[in-house]
């Protein structure tokens, strides 16, 4: 089976309101940068393109088609889309390469969440008869999950505040972060609750932006003469859409995906986890079996800026950056979708063998 | 040449079709209209409320309905200080996972309460019905403390 390498990754700043900038204008700067990074001219120079976005954010059917304008629609290209985070567009692109239908792929994800009321927009991804008509927002669902953990003594508010504090401090080194600062655990705990038991700091911000990546076979990466990291494992698993039937204090789907992706076949130097709420980072770290030797969310994670439909791809990109810079040899990236970590994708990324 | 008559047709912007909710969801919603709550037995015998069409673990098609109580216990909750426009209340309230008597799986619905202190894990609540029931999940207007 052909080994697949990541050769380029770029992300926009996570901003709370991109103003008049439309989706195409969010995408073009990041794909231009990733073309430059890889040394290609345009989408004609890769074999396949796949994007991740959500029509509900734009409030229009087939809204992703407009995103294709960022690539230039003529001459025709092989193009696909997932109504999911672009981490799943990466998954589709890997399948395309593995099947021998492509040697290289451009992947991008984008979301402009600011025009709508995101927690309410996301309520419409729930069961259409039992939950969506109630407009149960995503923050409230996560708050119920956090309370289950607090009631069972599986976490404390202090633990949650520690996640927030570390995220804000790590984000000081991330030029794209929306929320960064020297925030202490005490500062967080001093905040009053918002949707109890959650404080505003426990909740990722609403952000606008995009990210893009180029992957290819290892042979192609060598031909291009680019530094690369290898994707050694990837898998995703989903749990039932009925939150009442899930163990919300664990992430069994992450556990299973991690097993299948081979997370435990070596040391994990770095992990970037898509945890939109502080307590979810703790659930994920436990499900992935991460210990003190792993640096978790050195970018600040999504608590520092959450690009809907791109943050999952960005987690993979953040791990790639650290491996190519030599900061880490092996890392894990996680992407999530759905309420309370319903659907999870786990990717293992390793240093190129020649570099080891 | 005279102008032809302009054709007129009334047009309603929206989904102008209705859709069957099927034997499981439909049964639950019909029972709600009659102010009754039913669950369904899962493959392992657990009573699931609201009923699901398929067991999430075994994929077995489910069909054994069970009447459940209109009272239950709060398993977890979120206190909403600042209700959103789409929310069912314009004053603070709670979303809760409620384990109805006779059910083994909690359902999510809203709980009316005067203050956060009035809601707690383990508290007993009962269903409050809408004035007019139409076969919709919101026929249960909310739950409130027993």
């Amino acid at each position: 089976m052909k080994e697949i390498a990541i050769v380029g990754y770029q992300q926009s700043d996570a901003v709370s309101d991109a103003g008049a900038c439309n989706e195409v204008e969010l995408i073009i700067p990041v794909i231009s940068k990733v073309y430059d990074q890889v040394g290609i001219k345009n989408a004609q120079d890769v074999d396949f393109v796949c994007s991740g976005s959500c029509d509900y954010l734009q409030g229009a059917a087939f809204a992703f088609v407009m995103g294709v304008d960022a690539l230039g629609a003529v001459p025709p290209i092989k193009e696909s889309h997932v109504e999911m985070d672009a981490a799943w567009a990466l998954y589709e692109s890997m399948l395309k390469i593995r099947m021998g239908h492509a040697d290289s792929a451009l992947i991008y994800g984008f979301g402009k969440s600011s025009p709508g009321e995101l927690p309410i927009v996301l309520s419409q991804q729930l069961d259409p008869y039992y939950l969506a008509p109630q407009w149960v927002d995503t923050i409230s669902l996560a708050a119920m999950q956090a309370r289950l953990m607090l009631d069972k003594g599986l976490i404390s508010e202090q633990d949650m505040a520690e996640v927030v504090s570390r995220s804000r401090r790590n984000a000081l080194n991330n030029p794209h972060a929306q929320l960064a600062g020297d925030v202490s655990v005490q500062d967080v705990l001093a905040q009053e609750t918002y949707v109890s038991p959650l404080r505003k700091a426990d909740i990722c911000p609403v952000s606008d932006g995009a990210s893009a990546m180029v992957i290819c076979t290892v042979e192609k990466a060598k031909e291009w003469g680019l530094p690369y990291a290898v994707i050694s494992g990837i898998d995703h698993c989903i749990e039932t859409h009925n939150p009442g039937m899930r163990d919300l204090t664990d992430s069994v789907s992450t556990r299973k995906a991690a097993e299948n992706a081979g997370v435990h076949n070596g040391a994990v130097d770095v992990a970037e986890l898509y945890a939109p709420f502080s307590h979810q980072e703790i659930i994920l770290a436990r499900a992935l079996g991460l210990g003190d030797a792993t640096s978790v969310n050195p970018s600040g994670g999504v608590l520092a800026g959450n690009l809907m439909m791109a943050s999952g791809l960005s987690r993979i990109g953040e791990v790639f950056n650290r491996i190519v810079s030599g900061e880490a040899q092996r890392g894990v990236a996680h992407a999530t979708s759905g309420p309370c970590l319903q659907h999870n994708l786990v990717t293992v990324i390793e240093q190129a063998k020649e570099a080891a | 040449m005279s102008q032809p008559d302009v054709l007129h047709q009334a047009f309603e912007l929206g989904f102008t079709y209705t859709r069957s909710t099927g034997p499981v969801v439909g049964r639950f919603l019909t029972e709600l209209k009659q102010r009754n709550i039913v669950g369904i037995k899962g493959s392992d015998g657990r009573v699931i409320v609201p009923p699901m069409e398929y067991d999430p673990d075994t994929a077995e098609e489910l069909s054994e309905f069970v009447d459940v109580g209109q009272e239950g216990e709060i398993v977890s909750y979120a206190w909403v200080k600042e209700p959103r426009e789409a929310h069912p209340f314009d004053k603070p309230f709670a979303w809760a996972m409620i384990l109805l008597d006779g059910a083994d799986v909690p359902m999510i619905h809203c709980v009316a309460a005067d203050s956060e202190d009035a809601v707690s894990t383990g508290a007993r609540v009962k269903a409050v019905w809408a004035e007019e029931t139409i076969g919709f999940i919101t026929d249960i207007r909310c739950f409130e403390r027993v």
Side-chain angles (χ1 to χ4, degrees):
Chain A
M1 204 152 54
K2 282 182 178 173
E3 273 203 311
I4 295 172
I6 304 171
V7 289
Y9 165 71
Q10 295 293 331
Q11 190 205 302
S12 71
D13 291 347
V15 296
S16 63
D17 184 353
C21 209
N22 68 22
E23 282 78 2
V24 172
E25 290 164 328
L26 290 175
I27 300 165
I28 285 180
V30 292
I31 61 170
S32 301
K33 278 185 196 157
V34 90
Y35 293 159
D36 289 347
Q37 184 179 4
V38 177
I40 59 178
K41 281 202 272 316
N42 54 43
Q44 305 296 323
D45 293 338
V46 289
D47 299 330
F48 183 60
V49 182
C50 198
S51 61
S53 71
C54 175
D55 283 358
Y56 278 72
L57 296 182
Q58 277 155 283
F62 289 91
F64 73 90
V65 175
M66 195 183 85
V68 180
D69 281 352
L71 304 168
V74 177
I77 52 172
K78 285 181 190 161
E79 190 269 341
S80 182
H81 173 261
V82 293
E83 192 75 10
M84 309 175 86
D85 188 285
W88 277 269
L90 169 92
Y91 188 92
E92 180 177 336
S93 302
M94 285 186 66
L95 296 181
K96 202 86 176 167
I97 295 176
R98 286 265 160 87
M99 288 188 297
H101 293 175
D103 283 330
S104 58
L106 166 70
I107 300 132
Y108 63 96
F110 60 99
K112 191 176 176 188
S113 305
S114 63
E117 191 180 356
L118 187 60
I120 288 295
V121 171
L122 293 177
S123 74
Q124 299 309 292
Q125 75 186 327
L126 302 169
D127 183 296
Y129 305 107
Y130 299 155
L131 292 173
Q134 297 194 67
W135 302 94
V136 192
D137 62 281
T138 37
I139 295 174
S140 297
L141 289 168
M144 288 191 268
Q145 179 182 38
R147 191 181 302 279
L148 283 169
M149 299 194 74
L150 290 165
D151 282 351
K152 287 187 179 164
L154 295 170
I155 50 164
S156 65
E157 293 190 30
Q158 169 99 13
D159 297 333
M160 293 164 68
E162 278 169 10
V163 171
V164 176
S165 169
R166 179 167 37 77
S167 162
R168 294 281 196 278
R169 283 173 176 158
N170 285 350
L172 288 168
N173 299 315
N174 178 356
H176 303 302
Q178 185 177 338
L179 299 177
D182 189 16
V183 175
S184 71
V185 172
Q186 289 70 31
D187 294 336
V188 176
L189 291 174
Q191 271 191 13
E192 59 175 271
T193 57
Y194 171 55
V195 178
S196 166
L198 299 179
R199 294 173 168 81
K200 276 196 173 154
D202 292 310
I203 304 163
C204 66
V206 174
S207 318
D208 294 343
S211 66
M213 181 177 278
V214 174
I215 65 169
C216 60
T217 59
V218 164
E219 294 74 32
K220 188 79 184 170
K222 287 177 180 166
E223 182 192 318
W224 276 342
L226 295 167
Y228 64 92
V230 174
I231 300 176
S232 65
I234 189 165
D235 193 36
H236 67 117
C237 297
I238 191 167
E239 296 170 45
T240 169
H241 66 286
N242 182 350
M245 289 204 82
R246 291 171 48 198
D247 178 0
L248 296 177
T249 66
D250 189 10
S251 181
V252 291
S253 50
T254 300
R255 223 173 258 285
K256 208 164 142 187
E259 190 73 33
N260 295 341
V263 168
H264 312 303
N265 297 342
V268 179
D269 302 326
V270 60
E272 280 281 339
L273 311 180
Y274 193 161
F277 300 90
S278 61
H279 64 280
Q280 293 180 346
E281 188 189 291
I282 302 170
I283 296 175
L284 291 169
R286 288 176 185 166
L288 290 163
L290 304 178
D292 293 339
T294 304
S295 164
V296 176
N297 285 345
S299 72
V302 298
L303 288 177
N306 180 30
L307 305 179
M308 283 303 297
M309 319 320 285
S311 274
L313 183 68
S314 292
R315 307 279 63 72
I316 298 165
E318 291 287 352
V319 172
F320 159 76
N321 280 348
R322 282 164 180 82
I323 288 176
V324 162
S325 73
E327 209 177 298
Q329 293 181 0
R330 186 170 184 274
V332 169
H334 158 268
T336 199
S337 179
C340 299
L341 306 172
Q342 185 197 0
H343 188 184
N344 298 286
L345 179 139
V346 176
T347 310
V348 181
I349 304 140
E350 300 187 17
Q351 195 177 45
K353 288 189 186 76
E354 291 77 2
Chain B
M1 206 168 84
S2 63
Q3 286 287 326
D5 286 343
V6 177
L7 293 173
H8 288 275
Q9 176 65 48
F11 177 72
E12 185 190 340
L13 180 64
F15 298 114
T16 51
Y17 54 85
T18 53
R19 147 162 212 214
S20 163
T21 46
V24 175
V25 177
R27 166 79 183 267
F28 173 76
L29 296 175
T30 304
E31 296 274 357
L32 284 186
K33 199 172 174 182
Q34 292 152 16
R35 298 170 193 246
N36 191 39
I37 306 174
V38 294
I40 204 162
K41 276 198 177 170
S43 297
D44 58 1
R46 279 194 294 176
V47 176
I48 307 165
V49 185
M52 294 177 78
E53 293 166 311
Y54 299 92
D55 186 283
D57 295 321
T58 65
E60 187 194 340
E61 198 172 345
L62 305 177
S63 59
E64 198 181 331
F65 289 92
V66 184
D67 276 331
V68 296
Q70 303 200 358
E71 289 188 14
E73 185 182 308
I74 293 180
V75 174
S76 185
Y77 66 98
W79 181 251
V80 183
K81 275 184 191 168
E82 299 166 31
R84 296 171 180 274
E85 205 181 320
H87 278 164
F89 293 96
D90 53 13
K91 59 173 195 162
F93 73 101
W95 289 112
M97 298 173 75
I98 299 159
L99 189 64
L100 292 174
D101 297 339
D104 297 301
V105 171
M107 70 180 283
I108 292 171
H109 217 293
C110 55
V111 173
D114 291 333
S115 70
E116 186 171 359
D117 298 341
V119 190
S120 61
T121 304
R124 297 279 304 167
V125 289
K126 64 166 191 272
V128 178
W129 295 95
E131 277 178 29
E132 190 195 354
T133 53
I134 54 169
F136 226 61
I137 187 69
T138 46
D139 284 353
I140 302 175
R141 187 158 62 85
C142 63
F143 283 81
E144 62 181 29
R145 287 292 299 268
V146 173

